[in-house]
Amino acid sequence: MSNTRHPQTRDQVLVAHAAQMIARTSLSQDTFAQALSEQLHRLVPEKAAEKDVPDFKAMAAGNDTAAFLKACDRWLKRVARWLSGEVELPAWVEEAWVQALPGDYREACVNELASRYGLIGARALGAEACPVSAFGGLVRQLGLAVETCSEVLADGRIDADDLALLPALIRQLLAVESRACELRRLAENTLAAERRKTPLRLAD
């Protein structure tokens, strides 16, 4: 994942994570398409309007049912073409695409994209950042990584016999790095804030 040779392009990585989410959860392709539309209008409203991305919330408030259904049908087909690879995913959609993914799928996608540049996909810290939540996420991801590592390292090696398990192991280790980095940054920010409060002592 993190070496300089990547078998997939960025847009293929994004599509793969969305397709995996649709296949493994109760969320449908239609639900994802609506979430993507909402994120596009939130993040790049002018571009979304320019590219005829339907604003379903605004349209639902109106009374033109026929126009709503027509716009919905066009958008669902457009997203389906991106998901199938028939049409390449444009760059202006990428950030909204990631944000439209739910929870763990969004985190896994961010981690994989970051790892392609040797980075850690730690989440941005906001005012709502919770150390207990970050620690809980770290413990959960660490537990998954330990379980897979134990299976991979049962013979004391990582080799061709482990190929089926390695993608999951890489994803889990990236998630551990991300959560650990988030918790570390919370600690660093708190320490820095407390140090700023401490008055300087002048030498006698």
Side-chain angles (χ1 to χ4, degrees), residues 142 144-166 168-170 172-173:
L142 190 57
L144 294 172
V146 166
E147 183 178 345
T148 307
C149 273
S150 297
E151 193 170 350
V152 169
L153 296 173
D155 59 358
R157 299 189 303 272
I158 298 179
D159 54 28
D161 293 336
D162 303 309
L163 289 180
L165 293 169
L166 295 185
L169 177 60
I170 292 169
Q172 290 159 1
L173 290 174

Side-chain angles (χ1 to χ4, degrees), residues 73-121:
D73 183 62
R74 282 199 306 266
W75 178 244
L76 293 180
K77 288 178 179 176
R78 196 170 169 187
V79 174
R81 287 194 291 271
W82 287 332
L83 283 166
S84 69
E86 179 184 342
V87 176
E88 186 175 325
L89 189 70
W92 60 271
V93 174
E94 288 187 1
E95 185 179 358
W97 188 279
V98 173
Q99 292 302 315
L101 294 169
D104 288 348
Y105 290 92
R106 183 190 312 130
E107 182 175 349
C109 185
V110 169
N111 287 340
E112 181 168 350
L113 291 172
S115 73
R116 294 161 74 86
Y117 301 96
L119 304 174
I120 296 174

Side-chain angles (χ1 to χ4, degrees), residues 123-197:
R123 298 185 301 176
L125 299 179
E128 74 287 353
C130 174
V132 175
S133 175
F135 180 67
L138 173 61
V139 170
R140 182 169 65 87
Q141 296 296 347
L142 190 57
L144 294 172
V146 166
E147 183 178 345
T148 307
C149 273
S150 297
E151 193 170 350
V152 169
L153 296 173
D155 59 358
R157 299 189 303 272
I158 298 179
D159 54 28
D161 293 336
D162 303 309
L163 289 180
L165 293 169
L166 295 185
L169 177 60
I170 292 169
R171 285 195 303 271
Q172 290 159 1
L173 290 174
L174 285 170
V176 169
E177 290 175 8
S178 173
R179 295 294 183 162
C181 183
E182 181 183 358
L183 196 58
R184 174 180 60 78
R185 287 169 58 194
L186 280 166
E188 288 174 343
N189 289 352
T190 301
L191 184 60
E194 289 303 314
R195 283 176 173 169
R196 285 195 295 270
K197 293 179 184 176

Side-chain angles (χ1 to χ4, degrees), residues 3 126 187:
N3 74 49

Side-chain angles (χ1 to χ4, degrees), residues 22 27-28 43 51 59 100 106 149 155 202 204:
I22 292 167
L27 296 177
S28 67
L43 295 170
K51 295 294 185 178
M59 295 182 73
R106 183 190 312 130
C149 273
D155 59 358
L202 298 177
D204 295 333

Side-chain angles (χ1 to χ4, degrees), residues 35-45 48 53 75 92-93 96:
L36 177 58
S37 168
E38 181 178 341
Q39 292 298 330
L40 284 167
H41 279 281
R42 182 179 71 85
L43 295 170
V44 284
V53 177
W75 178 244
W92 60 271
V93 174

